[in-house]
Amino acid sequence: MKLFSLILCCLMSSVSSLMADSTTSSQELTSRQKHIITIAAYTGKGNLHQLRPALNAALDSGLTINEIREVLVHSYAYCGFPRSLRGLQTFISVLDKRKSQGIADVPGRDASPSKDKRSRYDRGCAILAEISGAPVNGPKADYAEFAPVMERFLKEHLFADIFERDILTYDERELATVSLLAAIGGVEPMARSHMGICLNLGITPEQLHQLLDIVSRRISPAEADAAREELNTLLQEKGLPVVSGTGQDAGKTEKSLFPTGTPLSDNPNFTGEAWLQMLVSKADSLDCTVGHVTFAPGARNSWHAHPGGQILLCTSGKGYYQEKGKHPQILRSGDVVKILPNVVHWHGAAPDSEFTHIAIGPRQNKGGVVWLNAVTEEEYNKLPQ
């Protein structure tokens, strides 16, 4: 009865998610934006272990080497040279490994040379005024009065030298900045200021809450909650609606009833970022396991089979399921996949969407999962979009 109630709850979650997905609009963050936000968050926090699969996923989704490198370079202005340099070193390692595997990643274009003849200070002032909506000759901040050299560094180097580099847009730089500051923690006033810039650039409150949902899952609910409190205060001041709740209960993009769970970054049977939260384990003596699995965009498991079969209840996002020798199936919220015993298959997320499902493993007395080879990039890139 307990297991039946759990499965019924999963089905209700799937139906709810399907209804939510049908109302998705242009206010959703794009896949590209999500990758930038994730890379920035891990770099700011110094979590190189998780940064590595995030870099691989971004490359697999189509970001160029120069675009990803620019996110890491941009990061130093907010989290310091040491973490930015460690991020760049991790990226070099990722690229070297991919090259050894025969993967030819696209370098992408470099920054265009500036044709603006004004001084760097004047150019920086103009860029800051454009993105913030504040007048160029407005009152100076207290730090600028106290340490004029810092104000000059910010205008000349940050907003001229860095922001002028057109590999990333102003929107993308500000999303990366908010992600960095939220992940670092303890700098909420700065995060609030940059969230205000995001709103001025046309990024919606819903998209900012989605950003903080990513920080909550990837870094810490506590860090995301602190930034979310600042965001809600900012929205109240502007007469815009706020989002109640904290952590994974906050925002409109959290569609799962279950925790994200433990990262599977050390599991060789997963490519990209994935998380597992066991709901029913072998220790419960029900001859059945139930787990909630979250795949980041582009993530998937290896080819494998279950001696007792498997059932997948898709709860959010877009994913794929493929049996050996057969065409892949596109999976969406509400889909149910019934996998017969010993059928070799794999499942995971689409390149541009996170994907979650409940995995039910019946008849565990028949034996555990049998893992085989990884799904190659060539196999994955042939999938229907």
Side-chain angles (χ1 to χ4, degrees):
M1 190 67 183
K2 177 181 177 182
L3 181 59
F4 174 78
S5 299
L6 178 61
I7 294 174
L8 180 60
C9 182
C10 295
L11 290 171
M12 291 173 66
S13 172
S14 298
V15 173
S16 174
S17 297
L18 183 61
M19 293 175 65
D21 283 348
S22 67
T23 62
T24 298
S25 70
S26 60
Q27 292 185 339
E28 286 281 344
L29 289 168
T30 66
S31 172
R32 175 185 173 87
Q33 290 170 330
K34 291 176 182 177
H35 284 299
I36 289 172
I37 290 165
T38 301
I39 290 170
Y42 284 142
T43 303
K45 196 65 176 178
N47 188 340
L48 305 180
H49 191 58
Q50 291 286 39
L51 177 61
R52 186 177 298 274
L55 293 168
N56 273 295
L59 287 166
D60 292 341
S61 75
L63 268 73
T64 69
I65 293 173
N66 283 350
E67 288 168 341
I68 295 173
R69 182 169 59 194
E70 192 70 17
V71 176
L72 299 172
V73 171
H74 176 93
S75 299
Y76 98 82
Y78 299 96
C79 65
F81 273 112
R83 288 194 171 174
S84 175
L85 291 174
R86 292 294 286 132
L88 287 166
Q89 290 169 338
T90 301
F91 191 32
I92 292 169
S93 174
V94 166
L95 291 172
D96 287 345
K97 183 175 182 180
R98 290 170 68 90
K99 186 176 180 180
S100 70
Q101 296 171 337
I103 302 173
D105 291 305
V106 179
R109 68 177 185 84
D110 207 340
S112 305
S114 175
K115 298 180 180 179
D116 195 326
K117 301 303 182 183
R118 291 176 295 176
S119 70
R120 292 165 61 225
Y121 182 85
D122 288 341
R123 299 201 314 266
C125 288
I127 290 174
L128 179 57
E130 178 182 349
I131 64 177
S132 67
V136 174
N137 297 321
K140 290 189 175 183
D142 54 359
Y143 72 83
E145 296 286 356
F146 181 73
V149 66
M150 178 66 78
E151 195 255 354
R152 179 164 57 83
F153 288 161
L154 285 171
K155 298 291 176 30
E156 293 183 349
H157 184 53
L158 176 58
F159 290 109
D161 292 345
I162 297 179
F163 269 71
E164 276 186 335
R165 293 174 57 81
D166 58 358
I167 299 175
L168 300 175
T169 66
Y170 292 159
D171 298 34
E172 290 166 345
R173 288 190 183 278
E174 283 303 315
L175 288 171
T177 299
V178 172
S179 181
L180 282 158
L181 296 175
I184 292 169
V187 289
E188 285 74 31
M190 290 74 187
R192 176 177 173 176
S193 175
H194 284 278
M195 287 188 285
I197 292 176
C198 285
L199 293 172
N200 187 64
L201 288 171
I203 296 166
T204 67
E206 289 79 5
Q207 289 170 325
L208 286 173
H209 278 295
Q210 290 167 41
L211 182 158
L212 295 177
D213 287 341
I214 292 173
V215 174
S216 180
R217 293 194 298 272
R218 305 291 196 264
I219 305 299
S220 161
E223 307 292 10
D225 289 346
R228 202 185 301 276
E229 184 177 343
E230 293 292 334
L231 174 58
N232 280 334
T233 300
L234 178 64
L235 295 176
Q236 282 181 323
E237 292 175 352
K238 292 180 176 292
L240 298 171
V242 303
V243 174
S244 60
T246 57
Q248 294 187 5
D249 296 323
K252 298 181 179 178
T253 59
E254 284 297 326
K255 301 168 186 172
S256 175
L257 294 174
F258 306 103
T260 303
T262 303
L264 296 171
S265 51
D266 290 327
N267 191 319
N269 300 309
F270 284 78
T271 299
E273 294 182 287
W275 296 261
L276 172 65
Q277 176 66 44
M278 289 305 299
L279 306 174
V280 177
S281 69
K282 291 181 180 179
D284 293 311
S285 302
L286 292 171
D287 197 25
C288 173
T289 60
V290 181
H292 175 247
V293 187
T294 301
F295 296 92
R300 66 269 188 187
N301 51 31
S302 299
W303 292 100
H304 63 285
H306 301 270
Q310 188 181 43
I311 302 169
L312 303 179
L313 306 179
C314 305
T315 52
S316 72
K318 176 184 174 183
Y320 295 103
Y321 168 78
Q322 184 178 22
E323 295 181 1
K324 201 73 172 178
K326 294 186 178 181
H327 293 296
Q329 303 174 32
I330 295 177
L331 301 179
R332 299 186 186 277
S333 302
D335 288 340
V336 178
V337 183
K338 303 170 187 176
I339 306 167
L340 296 177
N342 299 312
V343 171
V344 176
H345 66 283
W346 70 271
H347 35 102
D352 58 351
S353 174
E354 189 172 87
F355 177 62
T356 65
H357 65 52
I358 301 296
I360 302 173
R363 294 179 291 185
Q364 287 292 301
N365 63 306
K366 299 290 185 181
V369 60
V370 178
W371 290 106
L372 304 169
N373 296 332
V375 176
T376 66
E377 293 300 323
E378 182 180 4
E379 290 173 318
Y380 185 79
N381 289 335
K382 289 181 180 178
L383 293 170
Q385 299 302 310

